[in-house]
Amino acid sequence: MPRTKKTTPQVSLSDPQYFFNRELSWLEFNKRVLHEATDSRTPLLERLKFMAIFSANLDEFFMVRIAGLKKQVDVGVTTLTPDGRTPSEQLDAIHRILLPVVIEQHQHFQQVLRSQLVEEGINILNYMDLNQEQRAHLQNYFEQEIFPVLTPLAVDHSHPFPYISNLSLNLAVLVKDPETGREDFARVKVPKVLPRFVRFPKKLRQQYQDKLAVWTGVPLEQVIGHNLESLFPGMNIQEYYPFRITRNADLAVEEDEADDLLLAIEQELRKRRIGGSAVRMEVQSTMPHAMRRMLRQEMGLKKSDIYEVEGLLGLGDLMSFLELPVPELKDPVWTPATPSRLRSPAVEEDLEDIFSVIRSSDLLLHHPYHSFTGTVQKFITQAASDPDVQAIKMTLYRTSGDSPIVNSLICAAENGKQVVVLVELKARFDEENNIVWARKLEQAGVHVVYGLVGLKTHTKISLVVRRENHKIVRYVHIGTGNYNPKTARVYTDLGLLSCREDLGADLTDLFNFLTGYSRQRSYRKLLVAPVNLRDRMLAMIRREIEHCRQDSTGRIVAKMNSLVDPEIITTLYEASQAGVQIDLIVRGICCLRPGVEGVSENIRVVSVVGRYLEHSRIFYFHNGGQEEVYIGSADWMRRNLDRRVEAVVPIEDPQIAKDLQEILGIMLSDNRQAWDLQLDGSYLQRHPAEDTQKQCSQKILMELAQENTGVA
């Protein structure tokens, strides 16, 4: 593509018109998630999964982002965002844009997906549609399993309005005393300890296509609602309506004031379980206005905080249907491959000594295409039992509840090795899990560190110190994703295994920075936030500008989760004006406006939303033919560049650099799950022409992983 150099008059690149709003851009991302739930090309149960993901995403958005904006409004903040909006204006815009999308989601589930599920033998029935035998079964189930755990809460002069917990599904019940004729309100919480959807036994399932249905059942709240007489004996049940509450769930920990950070976060977690102020109420469209007004007033909510929907609330619970044994309604099973270098060609089994492989040359890992168990987990597990390994150091931001890596670290400590783990207690919504593992590690003799005051440790790094032939060799893993075997199956992430001396020395310095007293300001190879990452990224963008000004080629390709930082964005605009060709692969939030004449006409932004969550970060700079490629844990966001500890590593192995460029090329060529960001902030999904071959990047990468391991 020929370069387009600026010929228009000078403009202010910080003008709000050149920035998209962060929150509204996130809503556009979640719309793309919802599209996967409505796309007929997506397998049916996977559509339910995307319905659930859309809902879970929204829950977190309200608990954190909306809650934060409301706090700003309450304390009178009027500071403008880069796109020129106040907190109040953002809330208004969010509600205006989001409400019709939520209505669309519920209508599609009610009117389309439920009937399609029936056609496949999956019947989510309404209680009113049940026969007598099914009702009798549910009444018995109610009495045996549900009734004992329910607690009806009355509201009257002697009973104040009950506290409604965060993300709880509730029934608002109107009861009438037959003796006095007085009507009263009561609340019944739908218990989370029971399955949201009550399944019938085989004998009570419907038939479909001359065979037994795969699944037949009803929502739990309907079973409770049609048995309320047991909770209010002697009273007449007038009506009941489900409603759901979302509260502020962000932690507020003043680290400077916390003598014990672990204890302080535990206390905040207890507050979160109770919940902060309410930020949203979801109700069914059938709820009378008088009842929703009463609930709204008791919750301290505004009319704009009420989301009225058709049908079931809390569609995040649809995720449970992915467990049904109907593989034809799901994505094909993918078994992650082990890289060929980690397999013995003679017997086609995993090699025992991962260190010898790393010594021969650097190794690139790409999850979930490559096995996490057979690579990263193997690296730590082998180090834990290797008698030549003297120390293991690593960071844990998020890990699974049954983490084999944590167990390996405990084993290493028990084997007498020096083990240091930095556990990030402030990893949002994983704080409780991290506290559990931190205590378990400490009890096993692991040196546990909780990070730096004012900074989250988000970097994904491991360092293994090994004695070989009377000298110390340091092995490193530097990645883009968490040390979590569960998310490694659904997030795309990259990792580098290496024993390069300069990287080993850099990680040693970085761990000393994290665990001790250090003002380390320079690293041999690593780009580290908040030390030098921002400055180096800006310098490399400006270097491309200089190449263009010297009549050479300027080229940048960057893949990340989010692009928000104003300084990075304005520098990219300067690069575009100079003629640098820029392709950005940004899965989620993108505040940069591409395609603006005289500002960003040389910038293109694509988002890929598919089976796997795109989580890897890759940065490519042409550098006048001396190409440079980096991977790491940081997005181009203020928090990653300034308020988190991040590590980005240069790729010096020519073959790995080529492999990463190939990944970028495959992503940019996607015409199945790729969306192009438009000038107005909307996204347009690519569709291949009739005579064009379909290019699904994630499918292509799976096929390449199989080819590279010799798997047919």
Side-chain angles (χ1 to χ4, degrees):
M1 182 182 294
R3 291 200 313 277
T4 305
K5 292 191 176 181
K6 179 178 70 68
T7 58
T8 55
Q10 185 69 35
V11 296
S12 172
L13 298 179
S14 60
D15 192 305
Q17 68 175 309
Y18 301 133
F19 292 84
F20 292 129
N21 180 264
R22 171 191 170 135
E23 317 303 346
L24 302 187
S25 181
W26 184 89
L27 292 182
E28 285 291 330
F29 159 67
N30 215 27
K31 282 185 188 179
R32 300 194 291 282
V33 173
L34 181 59
H35 181 273
E36 291 298 309
T38 63
D39 192 332
S40 60
R41 298 173 296 178
T42 305
L44 184 56
L45 289 185
E46 303 292 340
R47 278 179 259 165
L48 290 190
K49 177 190 75 175
F50 281 108
M51 278 274 167
I53 293 172
F54 176 88
S55 294
N57 286 350
L58 266 190
D59 287 345
E60 185 170 332
F61 181 71
F62 273 90
M63 288 189 289
V64 178
R65 304 303 303 180
I66 296 294
L69 288 172
K70 281 178 165 289
K71 274 187 176 181
Q72 292 180 44
V73 172
D74 290 343
V75 299
V77 173
T78 57
T79 305
L80 300 182
T81 54
D83 66 303
R85 298 176 194 258
T86 65
S88 180
E89 288 171 340
Q90 291 180 80
L91 287 172
D92 291 342
I94 290 167
H95 183 265
R96 183 177 66 254
I97 292 169
L98 181 57
L99 183 57
V101 179
V102 172
I103 291 172
E104 174 194 350
Q105 178 207 14
H106 284 78
Q107 286 181 343
H108 186 83
F109 173 70
Q110 288 294 119
Q111 300 171 14
V112 179
L113 289 184
R114 285 184 77 161
S115 61
Q116 292 180 347
L117 289 166
V118 170
E119 293 173 4
E120 300 293 344
I122 301 169
N123 304 291
I124 305 175
L125 302 177
N126 292 316
Y127 199 94
M128 299 300 293
D129 299 327
L130 304 181
N131 59 40
Q132 283 303 117
E133 192 177 4
Q134 290 171 326
R135 292 189 182 206
H137 170 81
L138 288 180
Q139 184 174 354
N140 182 66
Y141 178 80
F142 175 83
E143 293 171 355
Q144 297 295 321
E145 303 291 338
I146 304 175
F147 180 77
V149 300
L150 296 180
T151 304
L153 296 175
V155 178
D156 55 28
H157 296 300
S158 60
H159 299 89
F161 193 86
Y163 186 87
I164 311 296
S165 55
N166 184 35
L167 299 183
S168 62
L169 181 61
N170 308 270
L171 301 183
V173 185
L174 195 62
V175 300
K176 184 176 182 180
D177 189 325
E179 295 182 2
T180 65
R182 194 180 78 177
E183 291 187 339
D184 286 305
F185 173 85
R187 172 255 190 165
V188 178
K189 181 178 180 179
V190 178
K192 291 185 177 181
V193 294
L194 296 173
R196 171 69 189 283
F197 297 98
V198 181
R199 182 177 61 180
F200 284 120
K202 284 185 178 181
K203 65 179 182 179
L204 295 179
R205 296 182 200 167
Q206 269 82 345
Q207 294 288 123
Y208 89 108
Q209 298 178 2
D210 299 324
K211 57 184 177 181
L212 193 64
V214 176
W215 190 95
T216 300
V218 294
L220 176 61
E221 64 270 23
Q222 292 188 17
V223 181
I224 297 172
H226 284 82
N227 288 276
L228 288 170
E229 293 83 357
S230 300
L231 292 172
F232 304 96
M235 305 294 284
N236 294 331
I237 307 301
Q238 301 297 98
E239 53 194 19
Y240 80 90
Y241 300 96
F243 69 98
R244 188 171 183 266
I245 293 298
T246 311
R247 293 183 176 275
N248 177 359
D250 209 12
L251 296 186
V253 178
E254 293 295 336
E255 293 181 70
D256 291 333
E257 304 295 327
D259 294 329
D260 188 329
L261 182 60
L262 187 143
L263 179 62
I265 289 183
E266 280 188 315
Q267 293 171 344
E268 285 295 315
L269 285 172
R270 283 193 284 271
K271 294 179 186 178
R272 175 192 283 171
R273 278 192 285 272
I274 298 172
S277 56
V279 294
R280 173 181 61 164
M281 182 169 71
E282 299 165 90
V283 301
Q284 286 185 340
S285 56
T286 54
M287 179 183 281
H289 288 285
M291 182 174 284
R292 69 178 69 179
R293 182 171 60 251
M294 182 272 292
L295 289 171
R296 177 171 60 81
Q297 291 172 348
E298 292 288 351
M299 295 288 152
L301 295 169
K302 299 177 181 179
K303 285 185 178 180
S304 59
D305 299 322
I306 311 303
Y307 284 78
E308 174 189 300
V309 299
E310 176 185 340
L312 299 179
L313 303 180
L315 295 185
D317 293 323
L318 294 174
M319 188 68 79
S320 62
F321 286 96
L322 212 61
E323 299 174 3
L324 292 178
V326 277
E328 66 274 16
L329 301 182
K330 307 178 191 179
D331 287 326
V333 175
W334 166 251
T335 302
T338 301
S340 56
R341 285 178 54 199
L342 293 178
R343 294 175 65 85
S344 169
V347 293
E348 292 191 357
E349 62 182 22
D350 291 357
L351 292 171
E352 290 300 319
D353 184 12
I354 195 171
F355 297 114
S356 64
V357 175
I358 300 171
R359 279 197 303 274
S360 65
S361 65
D362 291 356
L363 180 63
L364 178 70
L365 309 176
H366 196 187
H367 312 295
Y369 313 110
H370 289 156
S371 166
F372 181 86
T373 302
T375 56
V376 178
Q377 190 171 307
K378 181 181 179 67
F379 175 61
I380 300 299
T381 301
Q382 186 173 328
S385 59
D386 189 327
D388 294 326
V389 169
Q390 298 186 326
I392 303 173
K393 301 183 181 185
M394 69 184 304
T395 58
L396 285 179
Y397 188 73
R398 301 184 197 275
T399 189
S400 61
D402 55 349
S403 173
I405 283 183
V406 172
N407 291 331
S408 293
L409 294 171
I410 291 172
C411 175
E414 292 172 346
N415 289 338
K417 303 182 191 308
Q418 178 85 357
V419 183
V420 179
V421 179
L422 191 143
V423 178
E424 181 46 77
L425 294 181
K426 303 183 293 296
R428 184 179 287 137
F429 300 121
D430 269 335
E431 301 95 342
E432 190 166 9
N433 187 46
N434 287 359
I435 286 173
V436 171
W437 281 119
R439 286 213 165 109
K440 190 172 181 180
L441 288 164
E442 285 180 326
Q443 290 167 2
V446 173
H447 299 288
V448 179
V449 183
Y450 299 123
L452 302 172
V453 173
L455 296 174
K456 277 188 181 181
T457 302
H458 187 251
T459 183
K460 327 296 184 182
I461 53 174
S462 300
L463 173 66
V464 172
V465 180
R466 195 168 187 260
R467 180 169 290 279
E468 299 174 1
N469 299 321
H470 308 293
K471 69 174 184 177
I472 290 296
V473 179
R474 289 176 283 200
Y475 294 84
V476 306
H477 174 265
I478 304 169
T480 70
N482 299 307
Y483 292 107
N484 187 325
K486 291 183 178 178
T487 57
R489 292 195 291 267
V490 292
Y491 288 21
T492 72
D493 272 304
L494 294 160
L496 179 72
L497 285 170
S498 176
C499 63
R500 283 163 41 197
E501 289 187 15
D502 46 14
L503 291 182
D506 271 354
L507 253 61
T508 298
D509 289 343
L510 180 52
F511 275 108
N512 288 341
F513 170 65
L514 292 172
T515 63
Y517 294 106
S518 167
R519 293 191 178 275
Q520 186 78 22
R521 302 303 302 173
S522 63
Y523 292 86
R524 300 157 188 82
K525 294 293 182 179
L526 287 184
L527 311 188
V528 176
V531 179
N532 64 351
L533 178 58
R534 174 186 287 279
D535 289 344
R536 288 288 302 277
M537 284 292 177
L538 290 170
M540 287 188 286
I541 297 171
R542 290 174 179 141
R543 186 178 61 190
E544 297 301 313
I545 294 174
E546 288 305 311
H547 284 304
C548 277
R549 288 175 177 166
Q550 296 170 13
D551 292 325
S552 184
T553 298
R555 179 87 170 108
I556 298 170
V557 185
K559 179 181 185 294
M560 66 199 78
N561 296 329
S562 299
L563 171 54
V564 176
D565 185 75
E567 187 178 18
I568 292 283
I569 290 174
T570 54
T571 308
L572 289 171
Y573 287 157
E574 292 172 6
S576 174
Q577 289 178 326
V580 179
Q581 293 297 317
I582 303 170
D583 282 292
L584 304 172
I585 306 166
V586 185
R587 184 199 75 221
I589 303 166
C590 181
C591 296
L592 177 148
R593 184 187 293 269
V596 179
E597 185 178 354
V599 175
S600 58
E601 68 264 56
N602 289 319
I603 304 178
R604 294 155 297 279
V605 180
V606 63
S607 170
V608 174
V609 177
R611 172 176 180 172
Y612 302 121
L613 182 79
E614 289 295 336
H615 192 253
S616 58
R617 292 92 166 180
I618 310 173
F619 307 96
Y620 165 86
F621 301 91
H622 183 258
N623 189 27
Q626 302 296 311
E627 298 169 315
E628 293 185 7
V629 185
Y630 298 78
I631 65 170
S633 58
D635 292 318
W636 281 346
M637 303 179 73
R638 277 176 171 166
R639 70 184 189 190
N640 298 97
L641 300 172
D642 301 331
R643 301 195 302 273
R644 291 184 173 186
V645 179
E646 308 275 11
V648 173
V649 60
I651 302 301
E652 298 191 346
D653 183 292
Q655 183 57 51
I656 294 179
K658 182 179 177 182
D659 291 342
L660 289 169
Q661 291 180 56
E662 182 180 23
I663 292 170
L664 292 174
I666 290 170
M667 301 295 293
L668 291 173
S669 300
D670 191 309
N671 58 18
R672 165 60 183 90
Q673 293 174 315
W675 299 71
D676 290 306
L677 177 55
Q678 306 298 298
L679 186 60
D680 63 356
S682 64
Y683 283 76
L684 185 64
Q685 189 176 39
R686 295 178 182 175
H687 292 282
E690 292 185 7
D691 58 344
T692 304
Q693 185 177 359
K694 184 172 72 174
Q695 300 282 332
C696 178
S697 57
Q698 294 184 350
K699 184 178 179 181
I700 292 171
L701 290 167
M702 285 193 286
E703 292 170 351
L704 286 174
Q706 288 180 330
E707 291 174 8
N708 293 337
T709 55
V711 179

